[in-house]
Every structure is written in C-alpha cells, then in structure tokens.
C-alpha cells in the first residue's frame, strides 16, 4: 500500500520560523514585544500585558507621594509676622502685621503647579503599568516630568536663597530672619521635590534598560 505523503503546512500542521530558512534559531526575547498584536491574538491578549517590575512600581509610588507632599507643603505655606517701623526717634515704633504667602512668588507658584502635574502623571502611569502600548508614552512622560521637576526645584531654590541671604548689589534685604517658619517649610518642600526628581531619573533609566533588554536588535 502506498503511503501518502503530506507536505508540512497543508494539513494544518504549522511550520516553525526556524524551519523556513533552514535555521533552528529561536526568535529573540524582543520578538513578542515587536510582534505584540499577533502574539496577543494567539495567546488571548496575554502578550499585551507587560510584566510588572516591583522596583519601578515602588519608585513610581515614591515619586507620586513625594511630589504630592511637596505641592501640599508649599501650597499651605503662609506666615504673618509683625514688623516694627520707626518713623521718628521721638515717636514709638509702628507695628505693622505683614504676611508672606507662597502665591506672592511666581517661582513658588510654578513649583506647586509642576509638582501637582508630575503627581497626576505618576498616578496615570501606575494605572497603565501593565500595558505594553503605554511603555513608550510613559517613558516620554517621565522625561518631561524630570524636566519639570528640575526646573521647578531650581526656580524655587534660587528664590529661597535670595530670601535667606538677600542681594546687596541691588539692595534686596533678606526676609527669612523675619519669616523663619515660612522659609523652613519652603526649603523642606524643595528638598523633597529634589529627591523625587532623582527617583524619577532612576525610574527613567530603568525604563530605557527594560526596552533595551526586550529588544531583539541588540
């Protein structure tokens, strides 16, 4: 009896990629990442979910909490002090209550807005941490958040140093000797935001390293 020969691929039996070009090499680790749509259709959508890195999630939560604390501490920073003004040597000094508020400085307003934006972005990035399609947009957002944080920290720190030391060249007197609590809270918010910026930098580096490892071209 003559045995029927069936060519592979015509009876429903699939042919591996390695047998097509005569090579038995398996696809690289990034094959599933770049062919995510096909793998998702074959695997019931499982390939569309990226593996969750615990270190990245912890850093993201830390950035969210730090920027929230910085924005709140700076946003409620306010102090009223009584200043004595001497009009004449024969008259008693005049006591005038003056208030220092974070909203009086454009640098502090920018600081609060920038930290609030980074906080909201971190919450959105945590919600999309399992999506492969959101990996590159989140990485671009991390880059913008990093620029926002460092610029806001620089602006707020410069204004704080000016209030602490003054500027004798333009005859700007220091004010932190009068509003001590106000300056302390402002500098505490700046330090926490600076730590959040460093954490965001590490997070961005981890994201780039993850994409580098998942790519089959390297």
């Amino acid at each position: 009896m003559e045995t029927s020969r069936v060519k592979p691929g015509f009876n429903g039996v699939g042919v591996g990629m390695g047998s097509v070009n005569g090579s038995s090499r398996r696809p690289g680790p990034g094959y599933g990442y770049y062919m995510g749509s096909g793998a998702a259709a074959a695997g019931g959508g499982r390939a569309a979910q990226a593996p969750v890195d615990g270190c990245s999630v912890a850093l993201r939560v830390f950035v969210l909490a730090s920027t929230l604390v910085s924005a709140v501490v700076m946003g409620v920073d306010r102090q009223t002090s009584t200043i004595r003004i001497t009009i004449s040597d024969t008259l008693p000094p005049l006591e005038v209550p003056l208030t220092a508020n974070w909203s009086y400085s454009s640098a502090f307003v920018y600081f609060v807005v920038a930290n609030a934006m980074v906080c909201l972005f971190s919450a959105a990035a945590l919600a999309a941490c399992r999506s492969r399609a959101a990996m590159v947009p989140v990485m671009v957002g991390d880059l913008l958040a990093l620029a926002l944080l460092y610029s806001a920290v620089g602006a707020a720190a410069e204004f704080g140093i000016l209030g602490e030391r003054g500027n004798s060249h333009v005859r700007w007197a220091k004010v932190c000797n009068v509003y001590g609590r106000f300056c302390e809270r402002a500098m505490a918010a700046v330090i926490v935001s600076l730590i959040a910026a460093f954490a965001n930098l590490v997070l961005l580096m981890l994201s780039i390293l993850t994409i580098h490892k998942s790519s089959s071209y390297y």
Side-chain angles (χ1 to χ4, degrees), residues 11-104:
N11 61 344
V13 181
V15 183
M17 288 188 62
S19 61
V20 174
N21 56 3
S23 173
S24 61
R25 188 183 63 165
R26 294 181 178 181
Y31 179 76
Y33 174 73
Y34 289 102
M35 303 296 291
S37 58
R46 293 181 180 178
Q49 292 185 354
V52 178
D53 185 11
C55 183
S56 298
V57 172
L59 283 173
R60 182 80 64 188
V61 172
F62 178 78
V63 171
L64 188 152
S66 301
T67 51
L68 178 62
V69 170
S70 298
V72 170
V73 170
M74 184 68 79
V76 299
D77 196 7
R78 177 188 176 96
Q79 182 182 357
T80 300
S81 297
T82 302
I83 300 177
R84 293 184 177 183
I85 301 176
T86 302
I87 300 177
S88 175
D89 295 336
T90 59
L91 297 176
L94 183 63
E95 295 184 353
V96 179
L98 294 178
T99 301
N101 198 327
W102 67 275
S103 60
Y104 298 161

Side-chain angles (χ1 to χ4, degrees), residues 8 12-13 18-19 24 36 44 59 63 67 94 108 112 115 119 122 141 143 154 165 206 212:
V13 181
S19 61
S24 61
L59 283 173
V63 171
T67 51
L94 183 63
F108 288 166
V112 172
N115 278 271
C119 180
S122 299
L143 185 61
R165 301 179 180 178
L206 288 178
H212 176 78

Side-chain angles (χ1 to χ4, degrees), residues 119-215:
C119 180
L120 293 176
F121 166 75
S122 299
L126 279 175
C129 64
R130 287 184 174 273
S131 174
R132 284 189 182 272
M135 184 179 295
V136 175
V138 167
M139 187 176 65
V140 175
D142 282 331
L143 185 61
L144 296 177
L146 188 65
L148 270 177
L149 284 180
Y150 274 114
S151 61
V153 166
E158 189 275 337
F159 190 80
I161 293 174
L162 183 63
E164 179 70 28
R165 301 179 180 178
N167 192 329
S168 59
H169 300 287
V170 293
R171 298 182 181 275
W172 287 349
K174 57 183 180 179
V175 296
C176 285
N177 57 337
V178 179
Y179 304 101
R181 284 186 297 124
F182 177 83
C183 293
E184 290 174 0
R185 292 174 183 174
M187 293 310 295
V190 169
I191 291 174
V192 173
S193 184
L194 180 61
I195 297 174
F198 278 118
N200 202 4
L201 176 61
V202 175
L203 184 61
L204 181 61
M205 294 173 65
L206 288 178
S207 300
I208 295 174
L209 185 61
T210 300
I211 292 180
H212 176 78
K213 286 183 177 180
S214 65
S215 174

